[in-house]
Amino acid sequence: MSIVIAGATGQLGRLVVQELLSRGVPAAQIVAAGRSAGRLTELAGHGVETAAVDYNDPASIEAALTEGDTLLLISSNDIQSRAAQHENVIDAAARAKVARILYTSVLAADTTPVILAPDHVKAEEYILASGLPYTFLRNGWYTENYADALLAARETGTLLGSAGEGRVASATRADYAAAIAAVLTTTGHDNSTYELSGDYAWTYEELASAFSTVLGRPVTYRSVSAAEHASTLEAAGLDPATAGFLAALDGNIREDALALTTGDLARLAGRPTTPLVDGLRPFAA
């Protein structure tokens, strides 16, 4: 019986594989499954088993699974198709009779106004209907999401946003990977839901201050309306749909939809979450 990481070639998935290895899980008991042949080769270099899996191809998913496996389903980043992709994976898991399925959802999925939530709610409901033992890992925001804003601030001295005074309890992908690996390697998590987020919820003013610290130059937060935010992003070269999406996310932050702090992440990871400045520092090098 193996631990199968579906989505192992993504940034979070690779960190989960590394975390499992560091916790002493035998490489032969880990199956890193994903689409990128190059990244699968890289993971195979660590001694783990690999499987070419495409969420759009149910047969490829089922071929990677064996009865009794533990499956981590890392949610797809294909916003257009991911609801169907998640169902493909869950159906394959049920047919293979995996022992349990873990799913990376979104913070407070069933109550949040975050525009990303509906697909995650569908996946959670589909897993519940499957009858498989489950663990919902409701991930909050990644500190790494602000890497591009940090690089822009290096040039402009400005952090543009429409989040107002909303707060974000972010953590690094490594923090989330540590918590996920803990759930994968310990018992007592069946049919549980964890709200995972950073220990501290910061404002964009504090984000600008953190930018200043790691960049060694003053950075100020320019707070604008959602409409001005979207139009400014379009003027910078983004298509209208992407600009509107990013402005809408800031609107969710303005509503404190990403401010929840429960302590679940630090408790599962076995350590405090990474402070904002430390999480940003690698991108300023």
Short mmCIF file of all heavy atoms in Angstrom, two decimals, residues 130-196:
data_model
loop_
_atom_site.label_atom_id
_atom_site.label_comp_id
_atom_site.label_asym_id
_atom_site.label_seq_id
_atom_site.Cartn_x
_atom_site.Cartn_y
_atom_site.Cartn_z
N SER A 130 -18.95 9.75 -2.34
CA SER A 130 -18.23 8.54 -2.73
C SER A 130 -18.19 7.49 -1.62
O SER A 130 -17.98 6.31 -1.87
CB SER A 130 -16.79 8.89 -3.13
OG SER A 130 -15.98 9.14 -1.98
N GLY A 131 -18.34 7.96 -0.38
CA GLY A 131 -18.27 7.06 0.76
C GLY A 131 -16.86 6.74 1.22
O GLY A 131 -16.67 5.99 2.18
N LEU A 132 -15.85 7.31 0.57
CA LEU A 132 -14.47 7.06 0.96
C LEU A 132 -14.15 7.81 2.26
O LEU A 132 -14.59 8.96 2.45
CB LEU A 132 -13.51 7.54 -0.13
CG LEU A 132 -13.52 6.76 -1.45
CD1 LEU A 132 -12.72 7.52 -2.51
CD2 LEU A 132 -12.92 5.36 -1.25
N PRO A 133 -13.35 7.21 3.15
CA PRO A 133 -12.82 7.98 4.27
C PRO A 133 -12.02 9.17 3.73
O PRO A 133 -11.25 9.02 2.79
CB PRO A 133 -11.92 6.98 4.99
CG PRO A 133 -12.46 5.64 4.61
CD PRO A 133 -12.92 5.80 3.18
N TYR A 134 -12.22 10.34 4.31
CA TYR A 134 -11.64 11.55 3.73
C TYR A 134 -10.99 12.43 4.79
O TYR A 134 -11.29 12.33 5.98
CB TYR A 134 -12.74 12.37 3.02
CG TYR A 134 -13.74 12.95 4.00
CD1 TYR A 134 -13.53 14.20 4.59
CD2 TYR A 134 -14.88 12.23 4.36
CE1 TYR A 134 -14.44 14.71 5.51
CE2 TYR A 134 -15.79 12.75 5.28
CZ TYR A 134 -15.56 13.99 5.85
OH TYR A 134 -16.44 14.50 6.78
N THR A 135 -10.13 13.32 4.31
CA THR A 135 -9.66 14.45 5.10
C THR A 135 -9.65 15.65 4.17
O THR A 135 -9.03 15.61 3.10
CB THR A 135 -8.25 14.23 5.66
OG1 THR A 135 -8.19 12.98 6.35
CG2 THR A 135 -7.88 15.36 6.61
N PHE A 136 -10.34 16.71 4.57
CA PHE A 136 -10.33 17.95 3.80
C PHE A 136 -9.29 18.89 4.39
O PHE A 136 -9.37 19.27 5.56
CB PHE A 136 -11.71 18.61 3.81
CG PHE A 136 -12.78 17.81 3.12
CD1 PHE A 136 -14.10 17.87 3.56
CD2 PHE A 136 -12.48 16.99 2.04
CE1 PHE A 136 -15.09 17.13 2.94
CE2 PHE A 136 -13.46 16.23 1.41
CZ PHE A 136 -14.77 16.31 1.85
N LEU A 137 -8.32 19.23 3.58
CA LEU A 137 -7.25 20.15 3.96
C LEU A 137 -7.56 21.50 3.31
O LEU A 137 -7.21 21.75 2.16
CB LEU A 137 -5.90 19.61 3.49
CG LEU A 137 -5.56 18.21 4.02
CD1 LEU A 137 -4.55 17.53 3.12
CD2 LEU A 137 -5.05 18.29 5.45
N ARG A 138 -8.23 22.34 4.05
CA ARG A 138 -8.70 23.60 3.48
C ARG A 138 -7.61 24.65 3.59
O ARG A 138 -7.47 25.34 4.61
CB ARG A 138 -9.97 24.04 4.20
CG ARG A 138 -11.18 23.16 3.89
CD ARG A 138 -12.40 23.60 4.67
NE ARG A 138 -13.61 22.95 4.19
CZ ARG A 138 -14.80 23.10 4.76
NH1 ARG A 138 -14.94 23.87 5.85
NH2 ARG A 138 -15.86 22.50 4.26
N ASN A 139 -6.87 24.78 2.51
CA ASN A 139 -5.70 25.66 2.50
C ASN A 139 -6.08 27.12 2.35
O ASN A 139 -6.90 27.48 1.50
CB ASN A 139 -4.75 25.29 1.36
CG ASN A 139 -4.06 23.96 1.59
OD1 ASN A 139 -4.20 23.35 2.64
ND2 ASN A 139 -3.28 23.54 0.61
N GLY A 140 -5.44 27.95 3.16
CA GLY A 140 -5.54 29.39 2.99
C GLY A 140 -4.59 29.87 1.91
O GLY A 140 -4.21 29.13 1.01
N TRP A 141 -4.17 31.12 2.03
CA TRP A 141 -3.36 31.76 0.98
C TRP A 141 -1.88 31.39 1.12
O TRP A 141 -1.38 31.21 2.22
CB TRP A 141 -3.53 33.26 1.09
CG TRP A 141 -3.71 33.98 -0.22
CD1 TRP A 141 -3.07 35.10 -0.63
CD2 TRP A 141 -4.64 33.65 -1.26
NE1 TRP A 141 -3.53 35.49 -1.87
CE2 TRP A 141 -4.50 34.61 -2.28
CE3 TRP A 141 -5.58 32.62 -1.44
CZ2 TRP A 141 -5.24 34.58 -3.47
CZ3 TRP A 141 -6.32 32.60 -2.62
CH2 TRP A 141 -6.15 33.56 -3.60
N TYR A 142 -1.21 31.31 -0.01
CA TYR A 142 0.24 31.09 -0.02
C TYR A 142 0.95 32.44 -0.02
O TYR A 142 0.62 33.33 -0.81
CB TYR A 142 0.67 30.33 -1.27
CG TYR A 142 0.07 28.95 -1.44
CD1 TYR A 142 -0.36 28.51 -2.68
CD2 TYR A 142 -0.07 28.10 -0.35
CE1 TYR A 142 -0.91 27.25 -2.85
CE2 TYR A 142 -0.62 26.84 -0.51
CZ TYR A 142 -1.04 26.42 -1.76
OH TYR A 142 -1.58 25.16 -1.92
N THR A 143 1.94 32.58 0.84
CA THR A 143 2.76 33.79 0.82
C THR A 143 3.41 33.98 -0.55
O THR A 143 3.56 35.12 -1.03
CB THR A 143 3.85 33.71 1.92
OG1 THR A 143 3.21 33.59 3.20
CG2 THR A 143 4.75 34.92 1.90
N GLU A 144 3.74 32.88 -1.20
CA GLU A 144 4.38 32.94 -2.53
C GLU A 144 3.51 33.61 -3.58
O GLU A 144 4.01 34.02 -4.64
CB GLU A 144 4.75 31.52 -2.99
CG GLU A 144 5.87 30.87 -2.21
CD GLU A 144 5.39 30.07 -1.02
OE1 GLU A 144 4.25 30.31 -0.54
OE2 GLU A 144 6.14 29.18 -0.55
N ASN A 145 2.20 33.73 -3.31
CA ASN A 145 1.32 34.40 -4.27
C ASN A 145 1.73 35.85 -4.50
O ASN A 145 1.30 36.47 -5.48
CB ASN A 145 -0.13 34.35 -3.78
CG ASN A 145 -0.73 32.97 -3.85
OD1 ASN A 145 -0.19 32.08 -4.50
ND2 ASN A 145 -1.85 32.76 -3.16
N TYR A 146 2.54 36.40 -3.60
CA TYR A 146 2.91 37.81 -3.70
C TYR A 146 4.31 38.01 -4.28
O TYR A 146 4.84 39.13 -4.24
CB TYR A 146 2.78 38.49 -2.32
CG TYR A 146 1.34 38.54 -1.89
CD1 TYR A 146 0.82 37.54 -1.06
CD2 TYR A 146 0.48 39.51 -2.37
CE1 TYR A 146 -0.53 37.54 -0.70
CE2 TYR A 146 -0.86 39.53 -2.01
CZ TYR A 146 -1.36 38.54 -1.19
OH TYR A 146 -2.69 38.53 -0.85
N ALA A 147 4.88 36.96 -4.85
CA ALA A 147 6.22 37.08 -5.43
C ALA A 147 6.24 38.10 -6.57
O ALA A 147 7.16 38.93 -6.66
CB ALA A 147 6.71 35.72 -5.92
N ASP A 148 5.25 38.05 -7.46
CA ASP A 148 5.23 38.99 -8.59
C ASP A 148 5.03 40.42 -8.10
O ASP A 148 5.65 41.36 -8.64
CB ASP A 148 4.12 38.61 -9.56
CG ASP A 148 4.44 37.35 -10.37
OD1 ASP A 148 5.63 36.95 -10.39
OD2 ASP A 148 3.51 36.78 -10.97
N ALA A 149 4.17 40.60 -7.11
CA ALA A 149 3.95 41.94 -6.56
C ALA A 149 5.23 42.48 -5.93
O ALA A 149 5.53 43.68 -6.01
CB ALA A 149 2.82 41.92 -5.54
N LEU A 150 6.00 41.59 -5.31
CA LEU A 150 7.27 41.99 -4.71
C LEU A 150 8.25 42.47 -5.78
O LEU A 150 8.90 43.52 -5.63
CB LEU A 150 7.88 40.81 -3.95
CG LEU A 150 9.28 41.01 -3.37
CD1 LEU A 150 9.25 42.03 -2.24
CD2 LEU A 150 9.84 39.68 -2.86
N LEU A 151 8.33 41.74 -6.88
CA LEU A 151 9.24 42.14 -7.96
C LEU A 151 8.81 43.46 -8.59
O LEU A 151 9.65 44.30 -8.95
CB LEU A 151 9.31 41.03 -9.01
CG LEU A 151 9.89 39.70 -8.52
CD1 LEU A 151 9.86 38.66 -9.63
CD2 LEU A 151 11.30 39.88 -7.99
N ALA A 152 7.50 43.66 -8.73
CA ALA A 152 7.01 44.93 -9.26
C ALA A 152 7.33 46.07 -8.31
O ALA A 152 7.73 47.17 -8.74
CB ALA A 152 5.50 44.84 -9.49
N ALA A 153 7.19 45.82 -7.00
CA ALA A 153 7.48 46.85 -6.01
C ALA A 153 8.95 47.22 -6.01
O ALA A 153 9.31 48.37 -5.68
CB ALA A 153 7.04 46.38 -4.63
N ARG A 154 9.80 46.28 -6.35
CA ARG A 154 11.24 46.58 -6.44
C ARG A 154 11.48 47.70 -7.45
O ARG A 154 12.34 48.56 -7.26
CB ARG A 154 12.01 45.33 -6.84
CG ARG A 154 13.46 45.60 -7.22
CD ARG A 154 14.17 44.32 -7.61
NE ARG A 154 14.64 43.62 -6.43
CZ ARG A 154 14.86 42.31 -6.38
NH1 ARG A 154 14.59 41.56 -7.43
NH2 ARG A 154 15.32 41.77 -5.28
N GLU A 155 10.68 47.69 -8.53
CA GLU A 155 10.86 48.69 -9.59
C GLU A 155 10.09 49.97 -9.31
O GLU A 155 10.57 51.07 -9.63
CB GLU A 155 10.40 48.11 -10.93
CG GLU A 155 11.09 46.83 -11.34
CD GLU A 155 12.61 46.99 -11.45
OE1 GLU A 155 13.04 48.05 -11.94
OE2 GLU A 155 13.34 46.07 -11.03
N THR A 156 8.91 49.85 -8.71
CA THR A 156 8.02 51.01 -8.59
C THR A 156 7.97 51.63 -7.20
O THR A 156 7.56 52.78 -7.05
CB THR A 156 6.58 50.61 -8.97
OG1 THR A 156 6.09 49.65 -8.00
CG2 THR A 156 6.55 49.98 -10.36
N GLY A 157 8.34 50.84 -6.18
CA GLY A 157 8.20 51.33 -4.81
C GLY A 157 6.77 51.36 -4.34
O GLY A 157 6.46 51.97 -3.31
N THR A 158 5.89 50.66 -5.08
CA THR A 158 4.46 50.70 -4.76
C THR A 158 3.87 49.29 -4.77
O THR A 158 4.21 48.47 -5.63
CB THR A 158 3.70 51.56 -5.80
OG1 THR A 158 4.23 52.89 -5.77
CG2 THR A 158 2.22 51.59 -5.48
N LEU A 159 2.98 49.02 -3.83
CA LEU A 159 2.14 47.83 -3.83
C LEU A 159 0.74 48.30 -4.16
O LEU A 159 0.12 49.01 -3.38
CB LEU A 159 2.17 47.14 -2.46
CG LEU A 159 1.11 46.06 -2.22
CD1 LEU A 159 1.31 44.88 -3.16
CD2 LEU A 159 1.11 45.61 -0.75
N LEU A 160 0.25 47.93 -5.33
CA LEU A 160 -1.09 48.32 -5.75
C LEU A 160 -2.08 47.25 -5.33
O LEU A 160 -1.84 46.05 -5.51
CB LEU A 160 -1.13 48.47 -7.28
CG LEU A 160 -2.51 48.81 -7.87
CD1 LEU A 160 -2.85 50.26 -7.57
CD2 LEU A 160 -2.54 48.54 -9.37
N GLY A 161 -3.22 47.65 -4.76
CA GLY A 161 -4.22 46.68 -4.37
C GLY A 161 -5.54 47.34 -4.04
O GLY A 161 -5.62 48.55 -3.83
N SER A 162 -6.58 46.51 -4.01
CA SER A 162 -7.91 47.00 -3.65
C SER A 162 -8.48 46.20 -2.48
O SER A 162 -9.69 46.01 -2.36
CB SER A 162 -8.86 46.91 -4.86
OG SER A 162 -8.87 45.60 -5.41
N ALA A 163 -7.57 45.72 -1.63
CA ALA A 163 -7.97 44.91 -0.47
C ALA A 163 -8.35 45.76 0.74
O ALA A 163 -8.76 45.21 1.76
CB ALA A 163 -6.84 43.96 -0.09
N GLY A 164 -8.19 47.06 0.64
CA GLY A 164 -8.54 47.92 1.76
C GLY A 164 -7.73 47.56 2.99
O GLY A 164 -6.52 47.42 2.93
N GLU A 165 -8.43 47.40 4.11
CA GLU A 165 -7.78 47.03 5.36
C GLU A 165 -8.01 45.55 5.70
O GLU A 165 -7.82 45.12 6.84
CB GLU A 165 -8.30 47.92 6.50
CG GLU A 165 -7.97 49.39 6.29
CD GLU A 165 -8.48 50.27 7.43
OE1 GLU A 165 -9.07 49.71 8.38
OE2 GLU A 165 -8.30 51.49 7.36
N GLY A 166 -8.41 44.76 4.70
CA GLY A 166 -8.61 43.34 4.90
C GLY A 166 -7.32 42.65 5.28
O GLY A 166 -6.22 43.13 5.00
N ARG A 167 -7.46 41.50 5.91
CA ARG A 167 -6.30 40.77 6.40
C ARG A 167 -6.16 39.41 5.72
O ARG A 167 -7.16 38.82 5.28
CB ARG A 167 -6.39 40.58 7.93
CG ARG A 167 -6.22 41.88 8.69
CD ARG A 167 -6.24 41.70 10.20
NE ARG A 167 -5.93 42.96 10.86
CZ ARG A 167 -4.69 43.34 11.18
NH1 ARG A 167 -3.66 42.55 10.91
NH2 ARG A 167 -4.48 44.50 11.77
N VAL A 168 -4.92 38.94 5.66
CA VAL A 168 -4.60 37.65 5.02
C VAL A 168 -3.73 36.84 5.98
O VAL A 168 -2.65 37.28 6.38
CB VAL A 168 -3.83 37.85 3.70
CG1 VAL A 168 -3.50 36.51 3.07
CG2 VAL A 168 -4.60 38.73 2.74
N ALA A 169 -4.18 35.64 6.32
CA ALA A 169 -3.40 34.75 7.18
C ALA A 169 -2.63 33.78 6.29
O ALA A 169 -2.96 32.60 6.20
CB ALA A 169 -4.31 34.00 8.15
N SER A 170 -1.62 34.28 5.63
CA SER A 170 -0.88 33.45 4.67
C SER A 170 0.18 32.60 5.37
O SER A 170 0.57 32.86 6.51
CB SER A 170 -0.21 34.32 3.60
OG SER A 170 0.93 34.98 4.12
N ALA A 171 0.62 31.59 4.64
CA ALA A 171 1.74 30.75 5.07
C ALA A 171 2.44 30.27 3.81
O ALA A 171 1.91 30.42 2.70
CB ALA A 171 1.24 29.57 5.90
N THR A 172 3.61 29.71 3.96
CA THR A 172 4.35 29.24 2.79
C THR A 172 3.88 27.86 2.37
O THR A 172 3.30 27.11 3.16
CB THR A 172 5.86 29.18 3.07
OG1 THR A 172 6.10 28.18 4.08
CG2 THR A 172 6.39 30.52 3.53
N ARG A 173 4.17 27.51 1.13
CA ARG A 173 3.84 26.16 0.66
C ARG A 173 4.54 25.11 1.51
O ARG A 173 4.00 24.03 1.74
CB ARG A 173 4.22 26.01 -0.81
CG ARG A 173 3.28 26.71 -1.78
CD ARG A 173 3.57 26.31 -3.22
NE ARG A 173 2.65 26.95 -4.14
CZ ARG A 173 2.86 28.13 -4.73
NH1 ARG A 173 4.00 28.78 -4.47
NH2 ARG A 173 1.98 28.66 -5.55
N ALA A 174 5.74 25.42 1.95
CA ALA A 174 6.46 24.46 2.81
C ALA A 174 5.71 24.21 4.11
O ALA A 174 5.70 23.09 4.64
CB ALA A 174 7.87 24.96 3.09
N ASP A 175 5.07 25.26 4.66
CA ASP A 175 4.26 25.09 5.86
C ASP A 175 3.11 24.13 5.59
O ASP A 175 2.84 23.20 6.37
CB ASP A 175 3.69 26.43 6.32
CG ASP A 175 4.74 27.41 6.81
OD1 ASP A 175 5.79 26.97 7.31
OD2 ASP A 175 4.51 28.63 6.70
N TYR A 176 2.41 24.36 4.47
CA TYR A 176 1.28 23.50 4.13
C TYR A 176 1.75 22.08 3.87
O TYR A 176 1.10 21.10 4.28
CB TYR A 176 0.54 24.05 2.91
CG TYR A 176 -0.24 25.31 3.19
CD1 TYR A 176 0.25 26.56 2.81
CD2 TYR A 176 -1.47 25.26 3.83
CE1 TYR A 176 -0.45 27.73 3.07
CE2 TYR A 176 -2.19 26.43 4.10
CZ TYR A 176 -1.67 27.65 3.72
OH TYR A 176 -2.38 28.81 3.99
N ALA A 177 2.88 21.93 3.18
CA ALA A 177 3.40 20.60 2.88
C ALA A 177 3.72 19.83 4.16
O ALA A 177 3.47 18.61 4.25
CB ALA A 177 4.65 20.71 2.01
N ALA A 178 4.25 20.51 5.15
CA ALA A 178 4.57 19.86 6.42
C ALA A 178 3.30 19.34 7.10
O ALA A 178 3.27 18.22 7.64
CB ALA A 178 5.31 20.82 7.34
N ALA A 179 2.25 20.14 7.07
CA ALA A 179 0.99 19.73 7.69
C ALA A 179 0.37 18.56 6.92
O ALA A 179 -0.14 17.60 7.53
CB ALA A 179 0.02 20.90 7.73
N ILE A 180 0.39 18.64 5.60
CA ILE A 180 -0.18 17.58 4.78
C ILE A 180 0.57 16.27 5.01
O ILE A 180 -0.04 15.20 5.16
CB ILE A 180 -0.14 17.97 3.29
CG1 ILE A 180 -1.11 19.13 3.04
CG2 ILE A 180 -0.49 16.79 2.40
CD1 ILE A 180 -0.94 19.79 1.68
N ALA A 181 1.90 16.34 5.05
CA ALA A 181 2.70 15.14 5.28
C ALA A 181 2.38 14.52 6.65
O ALA A 181 2.36 13.29 6.79
CB ALA A 181 4.18 15.47 5.17
N ALA A 182 2.12 15.36 7.62
CA ALA A 182 1.77 14.86 8.95
C ALA A 182 0.47 14.08 8.90
O ALA A 182 0.33 13.01 9.51
CB ALA A 182 1.67 16.01 9.95
N VAL A 183 -0.51 14.60 8.18
CA VAL A 183 -1.79 13.90 8.07
C VAL A 183 -1.62 12.59 7.29
O VAL A 183 -2.25 11.58 7.61
CB VAL A 183 -2.84 14.81 7.40
CG1 VAL A 183 -4.15 14.06 7.18
CG2 VAL A 183 -3.10 16.05 8.26
N LEU A 184 -0.76 12.61 6.28
CA LEU A 184 -0.54 11.41 5.47
C LEU A 184 0.15 10.30 6.25
O LEU A 184 -0.03 9.12 5.93
CB LEU A 184 0.32 11.76 4.25
CG LEU A 184 -0.37 12.51 3.11
CD1 LEU A 184 0.66 13.04 2.12
CD2 LEU A 184 -1.38 11.62 2.40
N THR A 185 0.90 10.65 7.26
CA THR A 185 1.73 9.66 7.95
C THR A 185 1.27 9.33 9.37
O THR A 185 1.93 8.57 10.07
CB THR A 185 3.19 10.13 8.00
OG1 THR A 185 3.24 11.44 8.61
CG2 THR A 185 3.79 10.20 6.61
N THR A 186 0.15 9.89 9.79
CA THR A 186 -0.36 9.60 11.13
C THR A 186 -1.84 9.23 11.04
O THR A 186 -2.50 9.45 10.03
CB THR A 186 -0.20 10.81 12.07
OG1 THR A 186 -0.87 11.95 11.51
CG2 THR A 186 1.28 11.14 12.27
N THR A 187 -2.34 8.64 12.12
CA THR A 187 -3.73 8.21 12.16
C THR A 187 -4.61 9.24 12.87
O THR A 187 -4.10 10.21 13.44
CB THR A 187 -3.85 6.85 12.88
OG1 THR A 187 -3.34 7.01 14.22
CG2 THR A 187 -3.05 5.78 12.16
N GLY A 188 -5.90 9.00 12.82
CA GLY A 188 -6.83 9.85 13.55
C GLY A 188 -7.39 11.01 12.75
O GLY A 188 -7.98 11.93 13.33
N HIS A 189 -7.23 10.97 11.42
CA HIS A 189 -7.66 12.10 10.59
C HIS A 189 -8.85 11.75 9.69
O HIS A 189 -9.29 12.61 8.91
CB HIS A 189 -6.50 12.59 9.74
CG HIS A 189 -5.26 12.91 10.51
ND1 HIS A 189 -5.17 13.99 11.35
CD2 HIS A 189 -4.07 12.26 10.59
CE1 HIS A 189 -3.96 14.01 11.91
NE2 HIS A 189 -3.28 12.97 11.46
N ASP A 190 -9.33 10.52 9.78
CA ASP A 190 -10.43 10.13 8.89
C ASP A 190 -11.68 10.97 9.15
O ASP A 190 -12.04 11.24 10.30
CB ASP A 190 -10.78 8.65 9.10
CG ASP A 190 -9.77 7.72 8.43
OD1 ASP A 190 -8.82 8.24 7.80
OD2 ASP A 190 -9.94 6.49 8.53
N ASN A 191 -12.29 11.38 8.04
CA ASN A 191 -13.54 12.15 8.07
C ASN A 191 -13.40 13.42 8.90
O ASN A 191 -14.30 13.81 9.64
CB ASN A 191 -14.69 11.28 8.59
CG ASN A 191 -14.87 10.02 7.76
OD1 ASN A 191 -14.56 10.01 6.57
ND2 ASN A 191 -15.34 8.95 8.37
N SER A 192 -12.24 14.07 8.72
CA SER A 192 -11.94 15.32 9.43
C SER A 192 -11.73 16.45 8.43
O SER A 192 -11.35 16.22 7.28
CB SER A 192 -10.68 15.17 10.28
OG SER A 192 -10.87 14.20 11.29
N THR A 193 -11.94 17.67 8.90
CA THR A 193 -11.71 18.87 8.10
C THR A 193 -10.80 19.79 8.88
O THR A 193 -11.05 20.09 10.05
CB THR A 193 -13.04 19.59 7.80
OG1 THR A 193 -13.89 18.72 7.04
CG2 THR A 193 -12.79 20.87 7.00
N TYR A 194 -9.74 20.25 8.23
CA TYR A 194 -8.79 21.16 8.86
C TYR A 194 -8.77 22.48 8.10
O TYR A 194 -8.65 22.50 6.87
CB TYR A 194 -7.39 20.56 8.89
CG TYR A 194 -7.29 19.30 9.71
CD1 TYR A 194 -7.02 18.06 9.11
CD2 TYR A 194 -7.51 19.32 11.09
CE1 TYR A 194 -6.94 16.91 9.87
CE2 TYR A 194 -7.44 18.16 11.85
CZ TYR A 194 -7.16 16.95 11.23
OH TYR A 194 -7.10 15.80 11.98
N GLU A 195 -8.89 23.57 8.85
CA GLU A 195 -8.79 24.92 8.28
C GLU A 195 -7.34 25.38 8.45
O GLU A 195 -6.91 25.70 9.55
CB GLU A 195 -9.76 25.87 8.98
CG GLU A 195 -11.21 25.42 9.00
CD GLU A 195 -11.89 25.50 7.65
OE1 GLU A 195 -11.28 25.99 6.68
OE2 GLU A 195 -13.06 25.06 7.55
N LEU A 196 -6.61 25.39 7.35
CA LEU A 196 -5.16 25.63 7.41
C LEU A 196 -4.83 27.05 6.98
O LEU A 196 -5.19 27.48 5.87
CB LEU A 196 -4.42 24.62 6.51
CG LEU A 196 -4.71 23.15 6.79
CD1 LEU A 196 -3.92 22.26 5.84
CD2 LEU A 196 -4.39 22.80 8.25
#
